[in-house]
Amino acid sequence: MYNKGLIVPGLVVFVIIATFPFWYNGLSAGPVPKPELPPGGEKQCVAPAEVMRSEHMSMLNEWRDEVLRDGHRVAVVADGKEYRKGLQTACMSCHTNKEKFCDSCHNYTAVQPYCWDCHLTPANIVAKKEKP
Amino acid sequence: MKYGAPFLAVIALVLIAWLGSLIPGMQYVFGVVFPYLAMAMFLYGFIRQVVYWGKSPVPFSIQTTCGQAKSLDFIKHNKLEAPDTNSQVVARMLLEVLTFRSLFRNTQARIYSGPKLTHESSKWLWMFALLFHYSFLVVLIRHMRLFLNPYPVCLDWLEFLDGIFQIGAPNWYITDICLVTGLVLLLLRRFCQTKVRYISLANDYFPLFLLLGIAITGILMRYCLRGNVDVVAIKQLAVGLATFQPTITADIASIFYIHLFLVCALLVYFPYSKLMHMGGVFFSPTRNMRNNTRAARHINPWNPDIKPHSYAGYEDEFREFMVDAGIPVEKELPAKQA
Ligand code: HEM
């Protein structure tokens, strides 16, 4: 082979970059998220757990558009229970702890939803009330 | 057939993954076996091709000279266009690899009414290529969020910048739009420009269709067909693959397996196709050689080892025959001893 001194190091760098995830993790899969179930013990949600797991973001996006743009605040009814469309009014009335519920998966999958740029978590609301 | 067959081939790949992933038990094959096989074939094929190129001699110094070569002191040397030292070559290569300068130089001949022939600069190919390659790079880097646990913070910054328009949830990425736009423009270029269309082959269309397939399935999975796309389960599988303990913990939608299978196809196809220009650009003698043929002699590595043969030596070797044949010699044969 010609120019071994350049080609071999070049190939080594390429292989290191191409296999980056293999050595970065160091053979350890790391912690898996364990979202906290509603502390109040609620078992019912607006949709089954699998649907919520993969589609809650689209659902919230639709709710936001319906409420803010079309003024449809009408409640969602699931299994006889009424929910008002909204992150704070519906979701977080049961899933009260953002850090232990929402963040557990979002931090795992590197998702930073901009919902909380405006919305408050129940903990935020309490903190706000205490500070006059 | 030049574009029909590759298009159907990509459709066939989609159908294989779609139907295959619905068969119970085949999820493991599509989610674990094929990715490992594809990765192994990619690395093996890439190294094999690079070593093969490394073994190929360069008989002539064939850099493309695009400016004034180094000459006398009062003649201005164009260091990038006719590099004389290794560091100038490195600078030229870096600009080639990062900014595609040789595409930038593209000109196009056109006939206007008159008739008048012009050779104008044409930057479209350069722009489409930049758009596609950089979007692809960002998408690849962003995908590391699925493979690294815990992931480095710089991925957060990239996610933020790429989704800065904050459109929808999941947040639309700028690079998704640019990736598809770049690919479509590159494809339209082959379809619409008659000359390019004439020289385009099936193996020019196939990678474009395959990459479009990957991008479209990825986009569909993220924004449209969210049903059973549980990103936590997908990340568990991806991190599992990267740590050699793969598990499939949920019923993941077919669209994910289609996406992954097309990526596997890309990995396998890569080293045996024109996509190897990724490695090949570093082996282009027209770019990676010094423009110093006046200062240094380039020796063809396959030249046979020919020793210099002076006339005196030649006569020494053949003197007897020369004398026999009556050819005059400079030095006579030694007198014969009686
Ligand atoms: C050549 C390699 C690949 C390309 C070009 C590609 C392209 C894309 C694109 C354009 C998207 C749309 C969203 C985004 O940009 O993030 C996407 C999403 C996605 N891709 Fe890929 N992909 C590749 C490899 C992979 C691999 C190997 C996996 C396996 C884990 C994967 C899993 C996913 C998933 C799960 C999503 C949806 C993400 C979400 O819902 O947030 N991709 N892909």
Short mmCIF file of all heavy atoms in Angstrom, two decimals, chain B residues 61 63 84 290-299:
data_model
loop_
_atom_site.label_atom_id
_atom_site.label_comp_id
_atom_site.label_asym_id
_atom_site.label_seq_id
_atom_site.Cartn_x
_atom_site.Cartn_y
_atom_site.Cartn_z
N SER B 61 1.86 12.74 -12.15
CA SER B 61 1.43 13.83 -11.29
C SER B 61 0.32 14.57 -12.02
O SER B 61 0.58 15.35 -12.93
CB SER B 61 2.61 14.75 -11.03
OG SER B 61 2.21 15.78 -10.18
N GLN B 63 -2.36 16.53 -10.77
CA GLN B 63 -3.21 17.54 -10.10
C GLN B 63 -3.83 18.44 -11.15
O GLN B 63 -3.23 18.72 -12.17
CB GLN B 63 -2.43 18.41 -9.11
CG GLN B 63 -0.93 18.31 -9.12
CD GLN B 63 -0.29 18.82 -10.37
OE1 GLN B 63 -0.84 19.69 -11.02
NE2 GLN B 63 0.86 18.29 -10.68
N ASP B 84 1.79 24.08 -3.56
CA ASP B 84 3.17 23.66 -3.73
C ASP B 84 3.67 22.85 -2.53
O ASP B 84 4.56 22.04 -2.66
CB ASP B 84 4.03 24.92 -3.91
CG ASP B 84 5.50 24.57 -4.10
OD1 ASP B 84 5.79 23.91 -5.11
OD2 ASP B 84 6.30 24.95 -3.24
N ARG B 290 0.68 17.64 -4.96
CA ARG B 290 1.26 18.98 -5.03
C ARG B 290 1.50 19.37 -6.49
O ARG B 290 1.84 18.52 -7.31
CB ARG B 290 2.59 19.00 -4.28
CG ARG B 290 2.42 19.14 -2.80
CD ARG B 290 3.68 18.79 -2.07
NE ARG B 290 3.98 17.37 -2.26
CZ ARG B 290 5.02 16.76 -1.74
NH1 ARG B 290 5.87 17.44 -0.99
NH2 ARG B 290 5.23 15.49 -1.95
N ASN B 291 1.36 20.63 -6.77
CA ASN B 291 1.58 21.12 -8.13
C ASN B 291 3.04 21.56 -8.25
O ASN B 291 3.34 22.72 -8.45
CB ASN B 291 0.63 22.30 -8.37
CG ASN B 291 0.48 22.59 -9.84
OD1 ASN B 291 -0.55 22.32 -10.42
ND2 ASN B 291 1.52 23.11 -10.46
N ASN B 292 3.95 20.59 -8.06
CA ASN B 292 5.36 20.97 -8.00
C ASN B 292 6.21 20.20 -9.01
O ASN B 292 7.35 19.85 -8.74
CB ASN B 292 5.90 20.75 -6.58
CG ASN B 292 5.83 19.29 -6.19
OD1 ASN B 292 5.23 18.48 -6.91
ND2 ASN B 292 6.43 18.95 -5.07
N THR B 293 5.60 19.91 -10.16
CA THR B 293 6.31 19.05 -11.10
C THR B 293 7.58 19.70 -11.66
O THR B 293 8.43 19.02 -12.20
CB THR B 293 5.40 18.69 -12.30
OG1 THR B 293 4.71 19.86 -12.68
CG2 THR B 293 4.43 17.62 -11.92
N ARG B 294 7.71 21.05 -11.53
CA ARG B 294 8.95 21.68 -12.01
C ARG B 294 10.05 21.53 -10.98
O ARG B 294 11.23 21.58 -11.32
CB ARG B 294 8.73 23.17 -12.25
CG ARG B 294 7.79 23.43 -13.40
CD ARG B 294 7.60 24.92 -13.48
NE ARG B 294 6.63 25.25 -14.52
CZ ARG B 294 6.34 26.49 -14.84
NH1 ARG B 294 6.94 27.49 -14.22
NH2 ARG B 294 5.46 26.72 -15.78
N ALA B 295 9.66 21.39 -9.71
CA ALA B 295 10.67 21.34 -8.65
C ALA B 295 11.05 19.90 -8.30
O ALA B 295 12.20 19.63 -7.94
CB ALA B 295 10.16 22.06 -7.42
N ALA B 296 10.09 18.98 -8.38
CA ALA B 296 10.38 17.62 -7.95
C ALA B 296 9.91 16.65 -9.02
O ALA B 296 8.85 16.84 -9.62
CB ALA B 296 9.68 17.34 -6.62
N ARG B 297 10.70 15.60 -9.24
CA ARG B 297 10.33 14.63 -10.26
C ARG B 297 9.38 13.61 -9.65
O ARG B 297 9.63 13.07 -8.58
CB ARG B 297 11.58 13.94 -10.78
CG ARG B 297 11.27 12.89 -11.79
CD ARG B 297 12.49 12.49 -12.59
NE ARG B 297 12.13 11.36 -13.44
CZ ARG B 297 12.76 10.21 -13.42
NH1 ARG B 297 13.82 10.03 -12.65
NH2 ARG B 297 12.36 9.24 -14.20
N HIS B 298 8.25 13.38 -10.31
CA HIS B 298 7.32 12.35 -9.85
C HIS B 298 7.73 11.03 -10.49
O HIS B 298 7.81 10.93 -11.71
CB HIS B 298 5.90 12.69 -10.26
CG HIS B 298 4.89 11.67 -9.84
ND1 HIS B 298 4.32 11.66 -8.59
CD2 HIS B 298 4.38 10.59 -10.50
CE1 HIS B 298 3.49 10.62 -8.50
NE2 HIS B 298 3.51 9.96 -9.65
N ILE B 299 7.99 10.04 -9.67
CA ILE B 299 8.44 8.77 -10.23
C ILE B 299 7.28 7.78 -10.24
O ILE B 299 6.63 7.55 -9.22
CB ILE B 299 9.63 8.23 -9.43
CG1 ILE B 299 10.78 9.21 -9.63
CG2 ILE B 299 10.01 6.83 -9.89
CD1 ILE B 299 12.05 8.84 -9.01
#
